[in-house]
Structure formats: C-alpha cells, structure tokens
Amino acid sequence: MDEVDRDTRGAVTTLSADRASLDEFAQHAREAVDGWLDRALPPAASEPATLHSAMRHSVFAGGKRIRPLLLLATAEIFEDDLEPLLPAAAALELIHTYSLIHDDLPAFDDDDLRRGRPTCHKLFGDAVAILAGDALQTLAFEQLTCAAAALEHPRRWLAASAAIARAAGSIGMCGGQCLDIEASGRALEFEDLRSVHAAKTGALLAASTEAGALLAGADADATARLAGFGRTVGLAFQVVDDLLDVEGTLEELGKPPGSDSGRDQPTFVTHLGLDGARREAEDLRDQALELLAPFGGAAQHLHALANLIVERRA
C-alpha cells in the first residue's frame, strides 16, 4: 500500500483544502480513486488476460464515481485527511461495476451499450462477463480487508465492510434486483416499487455514506443520519434514472433510452407520470438535505451531490 499511498497523496490531500467547489472536489477524488483502481486491478496483459481485460474494460468505462464521492464527502465532515479511505471508495466502485456487468447480461437487461461503449458480455462473451463481475466483487472485499489489517482503526474498517456487504447482498442490491425481475410485467403498488429500488439502487448509495461516517469515527446518531441521507438520495437517483429512461438521448445516456419501458418494467414514471416523478425526485432531495442540516457547511459537498443527482442528464 505504501507505493500507492505516495502516488495518490497529492491528489487526495487537496480534496478538503479551502472547501473546494464540488467540481474541484470531484475531479481530485476521481483522479485519486482511479489511480487506486488502476493499481488494484491486475494488468490487462497478466494471465488470465481475457478476464483481466474484461474487468478493466468495465471499471474504466467512464463512470461518474458517485458512490466513492459520497463516501469521501461524508468522511470529510469529520476528517481532513481522506487519503486512507481510498480502499473503501475504490471497493464501492468495484461492487457497483460488477453489478452493472451482471445487469447488462442477456438474463437480466440484455443491454448492448453501457456509457457509450459495448457492454462487457458483448466484447468478451457471457461467461467471461460473469467471471469479471465475480472477480471485481471479490477484489472489493480484498481491498477492504487488507485496509482493515494495515491501517489504523481496524474496528471501523470491519464495521464499514459489514455495512457494504449487507448493502450488496440479499437484503440489499441483489435482493432488490431479484424483486425487480419478479416485478416485470406486473402491476406494483407504489410503496412496493419504492421498496424494490430502496434495495436495488438505494442500498449501496446508503452504504457509501454510512461507511464514510463509520470510517471517519462519527457517533451513532450522526452515522444513522448520514445513512438516511444516502438512502433518501439513493431513491431520488432511481427516480431520475426512470425520468432519463423516457426523456434522455443516446448521446446523454450512453445507451438507448426506453430500456425499462421496453421490458414492461414498472417505474416511477409509469406510477406518477413525468411531472409527478420530477416532484418526487425533488421532494426526496429536500428530505435528504434536511438530514444534513446539523452538519452545516462541513456537508457542503454532500449537499451539492444531492443537487447533482437530481439535476443530472445522464
């Protein structure tokens, strides 16, 4: 880890300096996280080269790194030095990327494009894509456990790792994906739809803020409040995704719009209409921001991220 720490420290230590704008914060954070990911992932030429190439193809496909940003912006409320938290930020992105690889498979969403590039299975085949997702998930927990063993505050790292594991598992992201599959072609009550996406999309976003608070040593009340922020903004994220599925373009989304409606999938737009879904996203954003009130200006980047999530066009 020492070599990686030296290589990334310059980018990371600027994150909190002078309370930089969100654009500056995000740029430095993405550079630092991408540097860590580049070192954590095996080289594309190392055997099995096909698997390692598939992993790298998906990780470096141009993601926004929202989950790492949420973790680092949360920790920033309590800590000035964010560099030690890079393994956790990278682990979240690895788990998110594995989920996207699997979501794109023919057995799930059967998508040909992701972020404007061919999906993993279109380039490498279904079997290698499944293995790439599996390998990214296990690499994520390797990053977390190695950090717990090597860095200060191992109990914090174990608690954060457990939170991330729960969010990714059968009561979180995977469970939500299963419920979403079962909902295809069926009418869902609105609260059931919210429950599906609170798990499928919201759980890992909530874990991002919860883990950030745990790793930074926040007390139980602050951690619960910040996890609630992540849960609420995570649901808003899905509402906006449903809006973009109707209103977005191929250039904006990096994949054809209308994929959910084409699969007869219940969405927030089918329940609420376009205007109602916009109001729902804004209401959720407002609820999330209320949870940040006790943290004042220290949470300015979380505040800005909530606005970005609701106002984004991709």
Side-chain angles (χ1 to χ4, degrees):
M1 273 185 203
D2 288 344
E3 180 181 350
V4 178
D5 291 350
R6 285 194 300 272
D7 288 342
T8 58
R9 184 170 290 117
V12 184
T13 53
T14 61
L15 293 183
S16 298
D18 301 321
R19 292 293 172 192
S21 71
L22 179 63
D23 286 345
E24 293 170 313
F25 177 87
Q27 177 184 346
H28 290 305
R30 288 179 183 128
E31 289 173 358
V33 171
D34 282 353
W36 190 279
L37 288 167
D38 187 40
R39 292 165 177 82
L41 285 160
S46 64
E47 291 297 336
T50 303
L51 177 59
H52 293 153
S53 296
M55 293 163 68
R56 283 182 165 271
H57 169 79
S58 295
V59 169
F60 296 111
K64 295 181 284 294
R65 310 303 194 220
I66 291 293
R67 289 149 193 84
L69 287 173
L70 285 169
L71 183 145
L72 294 169
T74 300
E76 179 193 37
I77 296 171
F78 310 98
E79 289 279 354
D80 290 329
D81 184 10
L82 302 179
E83 180 274 331
L85 307 188
L86 283 177
L92 286 165
E93 192 64 24
L94 292 169
I95 292 170
H96 174 56
T97 305
Y98 118 72
S99 75
L100 297 181
I101 293 173
H102 285 190
D103 280 353
D104 290 335
L105 288 164
F108 289 85
D109 294 347
D110 196 14
D111 282 327
D112 293 345
L113 290 175
R114 168 73 64 179
R115 297 165 180 160
R117 304 174 67 188
T119 49
C120 191
H121 72 277
K122 295 302 291 185
L123 281 183
F124 299 96
D126 292 4
V128 171
I130 292 168
L131 291 172
D134 293 345
L136 290 174
Q137 180 179 205
T138 55
L139 180 59
F141 288 100
E142 178 186 344
Q143 293 295 298
L144 290 167
T145 53
C146 286
L151 298 174
E152 293 183 22
H153 310 300
R155 289 183 180 275
R156 294 182 187 178
W157 280 90
L158 292 173
S161 299
I164 292 170
R166 283 193 299 273
S170 64
I171 61 171
M173 183 178 69
C174 287
Q177 179 71 69
C178 181
L179 293 172
D180 192 45
I181 291 168
E182 293 174 345
S184 183
R186 295 196 298 113
L188 278 187
E189 296 294 331
F190 183 67
E191 286 306 313
D192 292 333
L193 179 69
R194 284 174 63 104
S195 296
V196 168
H197 290 297
K200 180 185 175 186
T201 304
L204 198 59
L205 288 160
S208 303
T209 52
E210 181 181 4
L214 289 167
L215 291 169
D219 63 30
D221 288 343
T223 299
R225 180 174 285 273
L226 289 162
F229 166 84
R231 255 189 316 276
T232 307
V233 84
L235 202 53
F237 190 100
Q238 182 61 52
V239 177
V240 174
D241 262 6
D242 288 353
L243 282 164
L244 293 175
D245 188 62
V246 176
E247 298 180 317
T249 66
L250 175 61
E251 291 74 20
E252 290 172 329
L253 303 179
K255 63 178 182 178
S259 57
D260 286 338
S261 55
R263 295 193 311 274
D264 196 22
Q265 204 75 15
T267 71
F268 285 97
V269 173
T270 60
H271 267 271
L272 301 173
L274 288 171
D275 290 340
R278 286 191 200 95
R279 286 193 297 272
E280 178 74 6
E282 291 165 359
D283 288 347
L284 287 164
R285 186 259 317 275
D286 293 344
Q287 293 168 32
L289 294 180
E290 286 179 11
L291 291 166
L292 297 182
F295 305 111
Q300 71 166 16
H301 289 142
L302 281 183
H303 193 289
L305 281 167
N307 287 324
L308 174 68
I309 283 168
V310 170
E311 294 164 8
R312 66 196 168 93
R313 291 296 304 167

